[in-house]
Amino acid sequence: MIALPLTEDAVTDYGPGWKRNEAKKLLDFHARALNAKGGFYKLAADGSPLADDPRGQGNTRELHETTRMIHSYAQGAQLNHPAAHQIVDHGMKFLFDGHLDPVNGGFWWSVDDAGPIDTKKQAYGHAFVLLAAASAGSVGHPDAARLRETVMTVLRSRFWENDPGAVSDTFDEDWTNPPAYRGGNANMHLTEALIAAHRTWSDPADLDMARAIARFMIDQHARAEGWVVPEHFTPDWKVDRDFEGDPMFRPPGTTPGHAIEWARLVLELRETGGMDPQDDWMVEAASALFSRAMRDAWLPEGGFAYTLDWNGNIDNRRRLWWPVAEAVATSHALHRATGDDVWLGNIDELWTHLDAHHIDHEHGGWYAEIDASGRPVETLFPGKPDIYHAMTALSAGLE
């Protein structure tokens, strides 16, 4: 573990009371996203709905946004937020009525008031459907088990590949045109969802799948790369170092924020699995993943570089909210797993950075990106697109 250079003076007590209050404000802000026609609006910086109707048929709703709202407001229900159950129910209804393909099965990536826009079937999106089902189930939603069965049928029959024990990526609407690409991001989020599913329904098969993914992605590949997480793979599951990617979900090179996220997930997998001896490698892996990402990617001005090249050099200095939020949650996970207070040594610096640059104290919500001067900018994401990573950070340490 390394000590982060202070970029601001830490003067606030970022304890449980502060986090609960910030979570309430965040949930209040994003509750405005509820769309009476189904699903949720994207929100502008001031909390108003963003204009987004490319076909003139109402706002586009993307699968990961619908599902993350369900997950986040299930967390909100645990914090007794008054709108939580209504929003969970609203999102669940739209998954079945808006995103679910009744002919071919699986869930469309994006839809508007007239129906599907992007009909691709993505493993990434389906992982979040499972997370939504598990989270809704944890707060007693009556359709959670049905959603779980619907999405798990597709995950096992369409996406899962026994060798190596991971999911492929994207198919056409009718499950033709098998994907040439294999990616780490979908597998990371499926691991998260499988852990949540096991916590809700206690099916050991969920842990078996999660362990298979973690062993392949982290114990095999990240370990071999000196605890750098490969993101992109060829069809035969060889690391693709030359993948050019796209800036949002598949950036080229390596993404240190994902190493931080993986560190948290393998610890949660170990904990959920009852500290099984077969998972003993996970504490070593989490410690090494987190430490290397902090060392390689934390910038002198604060925040993490978005991507690195394969030599560990900074490739893209874009500063986003989510790696810092994940670093908060992973710090708590490492402390819980090891009992060593050293892992909490940077908590105040991480929160101070988020508080100073990403939390909007005037309008509410979190800014997604800041420029070199620390001011909010919108280059990759419009408005305030996320509650999911912010709630992950704010929920950490409240266990």
Side-chain angles (χ1 to χ4, degrees):
M1 183 60 179
I2 63 168
L4 299 180
L6 291 174
T7 54
E8 293 91 12
D9 293 329
V11 295
T12 301
D13 177 7
Y14 298 109
W18 181 89
K19 287 190 280 190
R20 288 189 178 93
N21 185 56
E22 289 298 318
K24 178 185 180 299
K25 291 192 288 186
L26 188 69
L27 292 159
D28 287 346
F29 179 86
H30 282 276
R32 307 176 203 178
L34 192 146
N35 185 334
K37 293 185 177 181
F40 304 97
Y41 294 108
K42 298 175 178 67
L43 296 181
D46 64 0
S48 61
L50 277 171
D52 176 25
D53 55 351
R55 303 192 306 187
Q57 296 292 334
N59 289 72
T60 303
R61 286 79 128 188
E62 292 172 346
L63 186 58
H64 71 301
E65 294 171 340
T66 304
T67 50
R68 286 178 174 191
M69 284 288 284
I70 295 168
H71 168 69
S72 297
Y73 279 88
Q75 291 176 300
Q78 306 288 356
L79 297 172
N80 299 313
H81 191 274
H85 286 283
Q86 176 195 4
I87 290 176
V88 169
D89 188 63
H90 185 81
M92 290 287 285
K93 186 175 187 303
F94 195 67
L95 282 180
F96 285 110
D97 295 346
H99 285 287
L100 180 62
D101 179 348
V103 175
N104 301 291
F107 293 82
W108 293 307
W109 176 249
S110 67
V111 300
D112 62 13
D113 292 347
I117 299 174
D118 183 342
T119 61
K120 291 286 197 300
K121 306 291 173 60
Q122 296 190 24
Y124 177 87
H126 285 72
F128 277 110
V129 174
L130 180 60
L131 181 64
S135 300
S138 73
V139 296
H141 195 280
D143 290 326
R146 178 164 68 101
L147 183 62
R148 178 208 182 201
E149 181 63 26
T150 301
V151 71
M152 281 303 296
T153 297
V154 171
L155 283 166
R156 290 185 181 279
S157 65
R158 299 293 189 179
F159 291 106
W160 185 254
E161 300 187 359
N162 283 321
D163 184 14
V167 286
S168 59
D169 207 85
T170 304
F171 292 84
D172 286 346
E173 180 180 23
D174 60 358
W175 303 105
T176 57
N177 192 21
Y181 175 82
R182 303 290 188 275
N185 200 7
N187 281 282
M188 181 183 71
H189 284 294
L190 181 57
T191 300
E192 176 186 35
L194 289 163
I195 294 167
H198 184 270
R199 289 177 173 175
T200 299
W201 291 290
S202 302
D203 185 344
D206 293 334
L207 284 188
D208 290 342
M209 288 180 73
R211 284 183 172 122
I213 296 169
R215 283 194 296 265
F216 178 71
M217 292 289 174
I218 303 304
D219 198 28
Q220 179 178 334
H221 280 290
R223 183 186 292 274
E225 299 292 344
W227 303 112
V228 170
V229 178
E231 298 283 340
H232 312 296
F233 296 82
T234 62
D236 58 351
W237 288 104
K238 300 293 192 302
V239 176
D240 187 353
R241 297 173 188 270
D242 299 321
F243 184 78
E244 294 184 0
D246 68 66
M248 188 175 294
F249 294 119
R250 300 175 183 174
T254 68
T255 308
H258 284 163
I260 293 168
E261 204 165 349
W262 263 117
R264 172 175 64 85
L265 291 174
V266 295
L267 293 175
E268 291 181 2
L269 177 55
R270 174 178 174 266
E271 185 177 50
T272 304
M275 312 298 184
D276 192 296
Q278 69 176 303
D279 300 332
D280 284 348
W281 63 270
M282 294 178 181
V283 175
E284 174 202 5
S287 302
L289 287 166
F290 186 66
S291 296
R292 174 146 190 187
M294 297 287 280
R295 183 175 67 250
D296 290 353
W298 184 262
L299 298 167
E301 61 270 31
F304 291 95
Y306 184 34
T307 62
L308 308 175
D309 66 21
W310 276 99
N311 294 316
N313 301 312
I314 293 171
D315 182 43
N316 188 328
R317 296 183 74 90
R318 176 178 277 131
R319 293 192 288 169
L320 302 175
W321 82 107
W322 67 264
V324 188
E326 287 295 332
V328 168
T330 301
S331 296
H332 282 286
L334 281 160
H335 177 255
R336 191 168 63 248
T338 65
D340 193 337
D341 289 344
V342 70
W343 296 109
L344 299 180
N346 289 322
I347 285 289
D348 281 350
E349 171 62 6
L350 294 167
W351 272 124
T352 299
H353 177 81
L354 288 167
D355 193 15
H357 298 294
H358 290 283
I359 299 176
D360 183 347
H361 295 283
E362 179 181 359
H363 298 105
W366 288 27
Y367 297 113
E369 183 179 351
I370 57 175
D371 64 15
S373 300
R375 293 186 297 266
V377 292
E378 298 181 7
T379 64
L380 191 56
F381 300 94
K384 291 174 178 163
D386 183 72
I387 185 173
Y388 159 77
H389 289 288
M391 284 298 296
T392 297
L394 291 166
S395 299
L398 297 181
E399 301 88 353

